[in-house]
Amino acid sequence: MNWKMVFTLLLVGVLSGCAHTEYVQVSAIKAKDVTTQYKKFAIVSDHYQSVNDDLNFAEYARQVAVVLNQQGYIQVKNQQDAEALISLSYRVSEPQVHTEIVNTPVYPRVGPFYGSRFGYYPYPMLGYPAYEPMVYQSIVYRKLIRLQSIDAGIYRKDKTVKPLWDVLIVSNNDNGDLRYMFPYMLVAAEPYIGQDSQHSVTVSVDEQDPAVLNLKAIK
């Protein structure tokens, strides 16, 4: 059994005992002049309209409502009673080819042996790897979720959009299934809702996270 086979078996053993983790980027911002608490909310489309004929939107909206409730927000049945309208939008990109060049160590085999006046020695020498650039390509899907809160009272009055806070959630991996990734992305964003992250932050979310499992159970 050569060293490559040993390394592969060890790697498989380690990975099989590890829980799967998703990495999500979150960028959050809030208005500086907001002093009123806007806790009563209704979830709407990115055009600030109610959506009643889209099953995917309804499922996503239920998950968003759960996360908002955990942050102290209260969902209202009648949009006229809302203090804030939370617009929900999302999309998945077409498959994109991601190329990465990695310098990979290559360990030479023993021999052949070359003579010298000091005796014989193997060449190339063992234990001293050479590095070769290796090109790796993979298919990546870019998934985005955006939650934007606006002042509902002002919007009802004259359709003026006054933003309260905005959260952009991004996932880049080989999984193009937004329904699978949606709980991970929401859990990653939860601490930043209504906050200012100052910049995009990367959040790791474990598949056994109770919050993820709770959202997966919501249909």
Side-chain angles (χ1 to χ4, degrees), residues 103-160:
N103 285 325
T104 305
V106 179
Y107 289 86
R109 296 182 177 181
V110 177
F113 285 81
Y114 295 89
S116 75
R117 59 179 179 173
F118 301 107
Y120 291 86
Y121 61 91
Y123 180 85
M125 297 178 66
L126 293 179
Y128 295 89
Y131 287 85
E132 294 183 359
M134 302 293 290
V135 178
Y136 297 91
Q137 287 190 329
S138 58
I139 299 298
V140 172
Y141 296 87
R142 183 176 178 85
K143 297 163 289 295
L144 295 95
I145 301 173
R146 184 186 181 191
L147 300 175
Q148 183 191 42
S149 176
I150 69 169
D151 188 310
I154 293 178
Y155 185 79
R156 283 194 295 266
K157 182 179 179 180
D158 57 11
K159 302 302 181 182
T160 297

Side-chain angles (χ1 to χ4, degrees), residues 41 43 97 178 199 201:
F41 73 92
I43 299 177
V97 177
L178 182 61
H199 53 79
V201 295

Side-chain angles (χ1 to χ4, degrees), residues 16-188:
S16 62
C18 297
H20 183 66
T21 300
E22 298 290 354
Y23 295 91
V24 179
Q25 288 75 50
V26 179
S27 181
I29 190 170
K30 67 176 181 178
K32 302 298 184 182
D33 60 343
V34 175
T35 57
T36 306
Q37 293 292 319
Y38 295 81
K39 290 299 185 179
K40 295 182 179 180
F41 73 92
I43 299 177
V44 294
S45 72
D46 54 350
H47 298 295
Y48 310 109
Q49 302 297 320
S50 298
V51 178
N52 301 313
D53 58 352
D54 188 324
L55 294 179
N56 280 321
F57 187 93
E59 180 177 307
Y60 297 150
R62 285 193 289 270
Q63 295 183 37
V64 170
V66 169
V67 171
L68 290 173
N69 289 338
Q70 292 172 347
Q71 292 295 312
Y73 293 83
I74 303 170
Q75 186 176 25
V76 296
K77 294 182 179 180
N78 191 337
Q79 187 172 318
Q80 297 299 315
D81 298 327
E83 298 169 342
L85 297 180
I86 310 295
S87 71
L88 165 63
S89 58
Y90 47 84
R91 70 179 181 88
V92 180
S93 73
E94 294 297 322
Q96 303 171 346
V97 177
H98 176 71
T99 302
E100 184 178 9
I101 300 178
V102 179
N103 285 325
T104 305
V106 179
Y107 289 86
R109 296 182 177 181
V110 177
F113 285 81
Y114 295 89
S116 75
R117 59 179 179 173
F118 301 107
Y120 291 86
Y121 61 91
Y123 180 85
M125 297 178 66
L126 293 179
Y128 295 89
Y131 287 85
E132 294 183 359
M134 302 293 290
V135 178
Y136 297 91
Q137 287 190 329
S138 58
I139 299 298
V140 172
Y141 296 87
R142 183 176 178 85
K143 297 163 289 295
L144 295 95
I145 301 173
R146 184 186 181 191
L147 300 175
Q148 183 191 42
S149 176
I150 69 169
D151 188 310
I154 293 178
Y155 185 79
R156 283 194 295 266
K157 182 179 179 180
D158 57 11
K159 302 302 181 182
T160 297
V161 174
K162 180 183 178 181
L164 304 175
W165 52 260
D166 201 324
V167 180
L168 181 65
I169 319 164
V170 181
S171 167
N172 292 300
N173 58 24
D174 60 356
N175 192 332
D177 186 355
L178 182 61
R179 290 185 70 190
Y180 171 83
M181 286 300 305
F182 208 89
Y184 291 94
M185 297 172 74
L186 284 185
V187 169

